[in-house]
Amino acid sequence: MKQKFQILIVDDDVELASNLQDILEAEGHSTAVANDGQTALSHCREKVLDLALIDIRLPDMSGVELVGRFSKLSPRTEFIIITGYASLETAIESVQQRRIIAYETKPLDVEHLLALIRQIIERKQAEQKLLEYQELDKMKSDLLSIVSHELRTPLAVIKGYSTMLVDYDKRLSLSEKRADLMSIDRATDGLIELVNHLLDMSRLDSGLLRLKRSSTSILKLVQKTIAEAQLRHPEHTVMSAVTKRLPRVNVDAQRIRQVLDNIIDNVAKHSREGTKVMVEAKRVGSELQISIADQGRGIPTEELEKVFDRMYRIEQRVDPKVGDAGLGLGLAISKRLVEAHGGRIWVESEVGRGSTFFFNLPLDTGKGGNHRNEEKSKKEHTGHRR
Amino acid sequence: MKRNQRKSILVIEDEPEICEFASKVLELEGYEVLHAEDGNEGLKLVREREYAMILLDLKLPESDGWVVLEEIMADQELHRIPVVVFTATAEISQRNRAISMGVADYLVKPVSATRLKEIVAHVLRQER
């Protein structure tokens, strides 16, 4: 959280302004000086300022007037008025107005001023924290009500079909019973996935998720993923194009597999039967790029960034054909997992044509990996080959 | 009741497996069941023939369950059909809102086959 301020000093006393500047910079703040009101206003248009120290008497306007115009342009800036004893009353009055938080009298008591600034910083930090807590609180209660809703749907299937099997045992045929049991089984899988996603998200949130990196062949990983994805999605054609001789990467194979699965399941869900899902992996500069392209409906531009938000699915109206029972946490988790590997993830899309999800992983993944791999990759770099 | 005229129930529910569960139980209980997967289809079906009861999910694609409920309750004829809400939304505020709009009952998922059948029988008995 912010410890240092962007401070603007507005005073036509050049020497005093410069002295103040030295003192505040020595405290670690960034400062700028304006010698009149107009210059001060142009400063505030250029930069976000946390605090302005304003002399009550400026060549072109009064300090109080400047505060009025300033605060309209930059509502988050705090103001301290600097005044001589001659204008003390005006200064006190101005503090009683809302925007100006304090006045300081000339000659300036530097210690007092610095203490005041520290106070302001503390208050701003507290306000910021409060805001964050409020947001967190809201998110928690939203999540709770969503989780409750999403748990009830598979539970309804399990409870419903199992009691039906008991109540109407004699009137149901064997194949009906079998179908009912399979419904129960699918709902159970849904519940397991839900719990896993929640657990992953909470581990990612609290930083408890540890990557188990090892040297991994992306070619093999993609091939295995695709073979299994094809079984899960017989209604789609899942294909791959992987550059041979891709260097091995130092990743948590299971987690990267999870990212791929999440994205493939997601695009399969959002594209019609019979369409293709194309998985590609290639080297792009110093990164490995994996892309998953669908022939689905596409995502409107304004929603592209939100796709990876954890509440994305919840906020939009759910498509009936998607039939998706889940929290929509899959992509949010994928983003965090890719980022934990030092990579990035994004999606490009054209409405009506389809979407392509990309994620890049650094090929040199020394950071956070284990030392042996790090050394090995270094050797390969400088080594005998070539 | 068990002569030729079986009572018809309209199930408006977008989750296919839950829709099938409810339909199957109601059919086993001797009712004729029609179902709609979204709010618009539900509103279309509800005007096409007579129903003894409507089982309505609240979170629906197209027209939301609340929209369906409002339209039914505002209609001079349709509002006489008892509506039983069948939802995964457990919030009391939602429940109160539905009750104040005049629904016959508010069932929170999960619900057993036994309970579903009893509630429906109870609601239909009151109607006679």
Side-chain angles (χ1 to χ4, degrees), chain B residues 11-57:
Chain B
V11 176
I12 311 179
E13 164 73 63
D14 63 325
E15 276 306 320
E17 302 211 296
I18 297 178
C19 182
E20 207 196 301
F21 152 70
S23 306
K24 213 161 159 185
V25 169
L26 297 177
E27 272 163 12
L28 284 163
E29 286 304 306
Y31 306 108
E32 181 188 30
V33 179
L34 282 91
H35 60 85
E37 279 180 15
D38 64 58
N40 285 353
E41 198 191 341
L43 281 170
K44 190 174 145 265
L45 281 184
V46 83
R47 293 179 204 281
E48 278 177 8
R49 51 182 294 172
E50 272 185 35
Y51 295 96
M53 198 197 99
I54 299 166
L55 191 67
L56 176 67
D57 185 12

Side-chain angles (χ1 to χ4, degrees), chain A residues 145 148-150 152-153 155-157 159-161 163-164 167-168 171-172 176 180 183 186 317-318 320 325, chain B residues 15 17-18 20-21 24-25 28-29 59-62 64 88-91 108-114 117:
Chain A
S145 92
S148 146
H149 188 275
E150 293 304 323
R152 281 175 194 283
T153 304
L155 282 176
V157 172
K159 181 82 179 170
Y161 282 95
T163 50
M164 187 161 76
D167 288 6
Y168 301 98
R171 293 170 60 191
L172 296 169
E176 276 177 311
D180 293 348
S183 292
R186 272 195 300 276
R317 287 299 311 154
V318 184
Chain B
E15 276 306 320
E17 302 211 296
I18 297 178
E20 207 196 301
F21 152 70
K24 213 161 159 185
V25 169
L28 284 163
E29 286 304 306
K59 208 172 154 202
L60 290 172
E62 303 302 329
D64 194 43
T89 308
E91 270 107 288
V108 178
K109 296 170 188 171
V111 165
S112 68
T114 327
K117 137 187 119 181

Side-chain angles (χ1 to χ4, degrees), chain A residues 62-107:
Chain A
S62 84
V64 178
E65 186 193 344
L66 175 62
V67 170
R69 292 170 64 176
F70 206 124
S71 59
K72 268 182 208 132
L73 292 168
S74 172
R76 302 189 70 168
T77 307
E78 310 272 357
F79 301 98
I80 295 176
I81 284 279
I82 300 170
T83 174
Y85 280 104
S87 314
L88 194 54
E89 258 176 49
T90 325
I92 294 172
E93 257 172 49
S94 71
V95 172
Q96 284 159 354
Q97 295 172 13
R98 45 183 182 93
R99 284 300 314 171
I100 302 160
I101 50 173
Y103 68 91
E104 287 284 310
T105 50
K106 283 181 182 175

Side-chain angles (χ1 to χ4, degrees), chain A residues 43 49 64 78 107 113 124 163 249 290 348 357 360 378:
Chain A
H43 267 286
L49 295 160
V64 178
E78 310 272 357
L113 178 64
K124 280 208 156 185
T163 50
V249 280
I290 299 178
E348 290 170 9
F357 285 81
N360 284 16
K378 257 187 210 153

